[in-house]
Amino acid sequence: MAKINQHYRQLKDSYLFSDIARRVAAFSQAHPEKEIIRMGIGDVTLPLMPSVISSLHSAVEEMADASTFRGYGPEQGYGFLRDAIRAYYVRFGVQLDPDEIFVSDGAKSDLGNITDLFSADNTVLIPDPVYPVYVDTNLMNGRKILYMNANAENGFLPMPDPEVRTDLIYLCSPNNPTGAVYTREQLAAWIDYALAQDAVLLFDAAYEAFIGDSSLPHSIFELPDAKRCAIEFCSLSKTAGFTGTRCGYTIIPKTLKIEGMSPNRMWNRRQATKFNGVPYIIQRGAEAAFSEEGVRQSQEMVAYYKKNTAVMAETLERCGVHFFGGVHSPYLWMECPDRMDSWTFFDYLLENAAIVGTPGAGFGINGEGYFRLTGFGSQPKTMEAMQRIASLLKGAN
Ligand code: PLP
């Protein structure tokens, strides 16, 4: 008789985005004349940048010619892309060996699949609120999860508690959903803690391109000793608009050793066994995103979204609404006004301003009372949304 993985019974159904969609559909049916502005889902809206498009086109042409056609590629990614990523990290003062870089179809897959390397009896430390993938992928494997509170008191940047024993630690900076960013000193404290516990730090840098202050680290490997305890996940989704194009990468230092084993070699083995690589065409597009021109264009794209978050921040400040993030991040994490809970505020904003955001409760217990707005929309719609929010919240205060 087939036996299922019983741990799937522990998973809560993910109602967040389906609940949002249901409420938005009901509102839209009741008020077809109202133009809804969506500031909820963290997807980008700008098209791929010219350097990427041109490279994708050339790669398509190569596939049309027998002399340049490519079939299966290396599971870990083509050398040209691993070299381009290696060169990108030199900008942050990080020296990597191309063999430490593994190209994938996005950070979500790697964040989920990395759990293959660790036994089920590891204890996992995860911040709350959180990007839900870390929680669900560990529940699927039956691991014990300890939550650490991220809240207004610690600026949504929880720090290690030496009393707490753990084996795996997830950190995301700049953070989804709160937009909070760890400083160099704070990450150094996490590295000390991980080394003291023989724990592995799983660092999600998906939003690194939004960091606009040279004193803040883009990569965990900017910190000494991180190569002995950390794995980094990153993605072209938010940096270069690849949410639908799909490309990311994971960095596993060769100097990281666990119980005498090399996670770098284990991941190489795992990918070679279970993954057949990212399409050649996409990898050429990704390579272009890391070229001089590509990085410049990507920075322009990020600047466009950051202009939105600046308008959003300025509006909330004017309305006397307290918020986190929105500076080195596309996300603003606002306190719901008048102590509304996050779903009540969701309905209030939808009913009275036809704006859709994401209720903080969807990201964990500490998300209650908060609301996530994204700067990934178009500038005119963001302006319009902020005018609506300003008149609504000024009226309410
Ligand atoms: N990590 C965080 C924190 C995210 O918010 C997201 C996507 O929203 C991802 C990873 C996934 O990125 P990708 O599109 O590369 O799978």
Side-chain angles (χ1 to χ4, degrees):
M1 190 179 87
K3 311 262 189 324
I4 57 126
N5 177 347
Q6 294 292 335
H7 300 304
Y8 275 65
R9 295 190 194 277
Q10 308 298 318
L11 298 173
K12 290 198 206 90
D13 280 330
S14 173
Y15 291 124
L16 179 62
F17 289 105
S18 55
D19 263 7
I20 292 176
R22 190 175 45 75
R23 290 181 198 216
V24 173
F27 176 80
S28 168
Q29 204 170 20
H31 307 279
E33 75 293 351
K34 295 229 166 123
E35 191 219 347
I36 297 173
I37 302 182
R38 288 164 206 275
M39 306 184 83
I41 294 178
D43 201 354
V44 296
T45 52
L46 289 176
L48 292 174
M49 50 217 200
S51 55
V52 169
I53 290 294
S54 142
S55 192
L56 290 172
H57 278 301
S58 327
V60 168
E61 290 306 322
E62 285 181 65
M63 295 299 267
D65 186 324
S67 67
T68 48
F69 167 80
R70 313 269 184 136
Y72 289 123
E75 293 92 350
Q76 305 78 2
Y78 282 100
F80 61 78
L81 179 53
R82 297 171 101 186
D83 279 342
I85 296 170
R86 192 195 52 73
Y88 180 69
Y89 270 71
V90 171
R91 289 168 176 261
F92 314 138
V94 175
Q95 304 294 335
L96 298 172
D97 184 313
D99 290 347
E100 296 179 311
I101 302 166
F102 296 87
V103 174
S104 73
D105 66 347
K108 189 178 188 176
S109 318
D110 285 1
L111 281 159
N113 294 332
I114 200 76
T115 56
D116 272 14
L117 305 195
F118 302 102
S119 89
D121 58 5
N122 281 288
T123 298
V124 187
L125 186 61
I126 299 184
D128 174 310
V130 72
Y131 175 56
V133 170
Y134 316 149
V135 174
D136 285 353
T137 52
N138 279 291
L139 287 178
M140 285 171 183
N141 289 343
R143 282 193 195 91
K144 179 179 167 196
I145 299 180
L146 302 176
Y147 292 94
M148 46 183 167
N149 292 324
N151 50 35
E153 285 74 58
N154 57 28
F156 288 94
L157 294 167
M159 292 303 294
D161 174 352
E163 302 293 309
V164 174
R165 282 277 329 136
T166 191
D167 306 305
L168 303 174
I169 305 157
Y170 284 82
L171 294 181
C172 176
S173 177
N175 190 270
N176 176 15
T178 68
V181 191
Y182 278 114
T183 64
R184 209 168 282 276
E185 293 70 31
Q186 289 171 320
L187 286 184
W190 274 111
I191 290 167
D192 288 346
Y193 171 76
L195 288 170
Q197 308 246 351
D198 281 330
V200 176
L201 249 174
L202 302 168
F203 188 75
D204 185 344
Y207 296 92
E208 63 79 17
F210 285 79
I211 292 176
D213 174 340
S214 58
S215 72
L216 295 169
H218 288 249
S219 162
I220 189 86
F221 299 121
E222 290 179 47
L223 287 125
D225 294 328
K227 284 192 178 173
R228 292 199 288 125
C229 63
I231 295 177
E232 180 158 299
F233 302 86
C234 203
S235 163
L236 281 83
S237 285
K238 310 297 157 82
T239 312
F242 270 51
T243 51
T245 310
R246 309 304 309 146
C247 194
Y249 52 92
T250 290
I251 296 169
I252 311 187
K254 290 181 183 170
T255 41
L256 175 66
K257 293 278 171 348
I258 308 170
E259 293 188 290
M261 294 278 280
S262 159
N264 176 289
R265 293 185 59 173
M266 289 167 73
W267 185 248
N268 195 37
R269 187 75 171 81
R270 190 249 171 231
Q271 292 298 80
T273 306
K274 297 194 183 182
F275 183 58
N276 248 342
V278 175
Y280 173 72
I281 297 167
I282 303 299
Q283 291 195 56
R284 279 294 185 200
E287 178 194 22
F290 289 109
S291 66
E292 280 295 318
E293 196 192 1
V295 170
R296 192 180 41 75
Q297 289 171 355
S298 145
Q299 284 167 349
E300 280 168 17
M301 215 147 75
V302 167
Y304 177 95
Y305 294 133
K306 282 176 86 164
K307 219 163 161 184
N308 285 342
T309 50
V311 173
M312 291 154 65
E314 189 264 323
T315 307
L316 294 184
E317 265 161 23
R318 226 172 345 111
C319 297
V321 175
H322 193 228
F323 64 90
F324 294 82
V327 181
H328 303 290
S329 159
Y331 299 121
L332 261 89
W333 182 245
M334 63 177 278
E335 255 173 44
C336 300
D338 299 330
R339 299 189 163 269
M340 275 185 240
D341 71 54
S342 61
W343 277 109
T344 305
F345 183 62
F346 174 91
D347 289 332
Y348 177 75
L349 200 59
L350 181 59
E351 287 293 331
N352 297 288
I355 293 171
V356 183
T358 314
F363 299 101
I365 292 171
N366 291 305
E368 188 51 282
Y370 287 87
F371 201 72
R372 193 190 74 175
L373 291 175
T374 95
F376 281 130
S378 77
Q379 271 166 15
K381 285 205 174 149
T382 305
M383 300 283 223
E384 161 76 23
M386 288 307 114
Q387 277 163 12
R388 291 187 200 173
I389 286 191
S391 20
L392 179 67
L393 295 188
K394 272 201 211 132
N397 281 341

